Each structure stands twice: as structure tokens, then as C-alpha cells.
Amino acid sequence: MRLLLVALSFLASSLPALAETYSTPRAVIEALYAGYLSPNDFPPSQRDLQSDRLNALFDKDAEEAGEDMGRLGFDVYVNAQDYEIGKLVIDEPYLLGGKAAVHVTFENFGTPQNLGFLLVNENGGWKIDNVWGKIEDYTYDLLDILQSPLP
């Protein structure tokens, strides 16, 4: 019996971890930015937070770019290459059907950032499906970037 328990324990520990499911749009955004806040040095992969569509576009970008830089030269979740996040505010989500919009503001190295997120309810939980940002005269839309031709 003890051998069976040890074998089952070993088998369970060797299985891949199940992706976490987020029951609210706010929980997804909180999980996303937790990876950018102290004491984290570098955020973990965001694949589990992103929709299947968004992950497929990131995969396509990496495949097409090969060893070169793809369509993104910055981290869209902080609107920069480097980050030091402060004064993070996550507004209440606006829900409509199986989608949600969430407005987020923060400072990155003291520079105010203003981002919007589109989330979809997919596979039993909320996932990021797009993000757009604005700082001064520069705006971006992640889906537009990932669907454009390689530079």
C-alpha cells in the first residue's frame, strides 16, 4: 500500500501544472501586474493569462521572426522595455456579454501610463484578448501590431 501511495505521489508531481482559471476580469489583471511588482525581478510567462487568439498571434510572430526581433520591441503590459511600477490603479471592469473592458493606470519610472484591456471569457475563465496604450502622442493596439507585416 505504501508503495502505491509513493507511486501515485510521484505520478501526480510529474504531471504538468494546470493553468489557473480566473473567475473575474479584475483577477486576471491583478495576476498580470503581480509579476511586475516587487520583489519580482521579471514577470513569469503571461500565456495562461492570455486568450487562445492572442497566444496564437504571439506564436505566429515568434515563428515568422525566427531569430530576429518580431513585431514588438517593448512590453505592451508596461508600455516600455524596462519597468519600475508604482501607483497601480485597476478600475472596475465594464462587462458586456462574454467580454470585459478594464482601464489601468500606473507610473513606470515616474511616467504616467494609461492602458486599456479587452478580456474574453474563454475555457471557463477570463483571459486578456487585447491591450491598448496611450502615452503623450503615442498610442498602440496589440492586435494591430501582431497582425501587421513584420518590420
Side-chain angles (χ1 to χ4, degrees):
M1 180 67 161
R2 191 181 319 209
L3 183 59
L4 178 61
L5 289 175
V6 169
L8 288 174
S9 175
F10 176 75
L11 179 62
S13 68
S14 65
L15 293 174
L18 296 175
E20 185 163 351
T21 301
Y22 297 93
S23 60
T24 68
R26 183 179 186 85
V28 176
I29 303 302
E30 288 173 347
L32 171 72
Y33 284 104
Y36 290 94
L37 299 174
S38 182
N40 297 316
D41 291 330
F42 193 77
S45 170
Q46 290 108 359
R47 288 190 69 84
D48 290 343
L49 303 174
Q50 297 170 166
S51 68
D52 291 341
R53 172 175 77 159
L54 192 54
N55 283 331
L57 287 169
F58 274 112
D59 292 344
K60 178 183 173 212
D61 181 55
E63 180 182 322
E64 290 178 355
E67 293 184 22
D68 294 329
M69 182 184 296
R71 292 167 176 86
L72 291 169
F74 67 105
D75 183 332
V76 296
Y77 298 126
V78 294
N79 194 15
Q81 290 180 338
D82 298 315
Y83 62 90
E84 184 177 281
I85 304 300
K87 299 184 181 179
L88 175 66
V89 176
I90 302 169
D91 290 347
E92 288 301 313
Y94 176 78
L95 301 171
L96 184 60
K99 296 185 178 183
V102 179
H103 179 240
V104 174
T105 59
F106 56 90
E107 289 185 356
N108 190 11
F109 290 107
T111 301
Q113 302 292 323
N114 186 3
L115 278 66
F117 288 83
L118 176 66
L119 294 95
V120 293
N121 198 330
E122 179 179 278
N123 302 322
W126 288 95
K127 303 283 186 172
I128 298 167
D129 195 50
N130 195 11
V131 60
W132 54 94
K134 178 175 181 5
I135 181 172
E136 297 173 5
D137 294 334
Y138 176 73
T139 61
Y140 67 90
D141 180 300
L142 178 58
L143 289 180
D144 286 348
I145 294 170
L146 290 175
Q147 294 172 348
S148 68
L150 275 172

